[in-house]
Amino acid sequence: MSAKQNKVKSLVLTLLDDGWSDKNLIYKKLQDECGISQAEARLACKEAKIDLMLKLKALQSGIIAL
C-alpha cells in the first residue's frame, strides 16, 4: 500500500473516530484533503470498512484484546 493510500485510509478512520457519519461529507473531505477523485474516496472507505470488519471479527473471537 502506498503512502498516499495509507494517508487516505488513516483520514477515513480519523473522521469516523470524530463522529462523521455522512458518506458524502466523508467523500468530499477526502477529495479536498487528499486530492483524490470521488471513486478513489469510495474505494478508500471500502478498504477502511474491510479493515474495521476484520478487527471486529478478531475482537469477537478473542484474538486481540482492547
Side-chain angles (χ1 to χ4, degrees), residues 29-59:
K29 181 73 169 179
L30 291 173
Q31 288 174 284
D32 293 343
E33 293 284 322
C34 302
I36 60 175
S37 69
Q38 186 172 7
E40 290 173 310
R42 287 182 177 167
L43 180 60
C45 288
K46 287 179 184 176
E47 290 174 358
K49 178 181 174 184
I50 291 168
D51 285 351
L52 290 171
M53 289 172 63
L54 291 171
K55 288 177 185 177
L56 176 61
K57 186 172 184 163
L59 281 170

Side-chain angles (χ1 to χ4, degrees), residues 5-42:
Q5 288 173 315
N6 283 334
K7 177 185 175 190
V8 172
K9 194 165 85 171
S10 176
L11 181 56
V12 171
L13 296 175
T14 300
L15 293 173
L16 293 172
D17 282 343
D18 290 346
W20 289 52
S21 59
D22 186 323
K23 290 188 300 188
N24 293 318
L25 291 177
I26 293 172
Y27 296 156
K28 182 67 176 155
K29 181 73 169 179
L30 291 173
Q31 288 174 284
D32 293 343
E33 293 284 322
C34 302
I36 60 175
S37 69
Q38 186 172 7
E40 290 173 310
R42 287 182 177 167

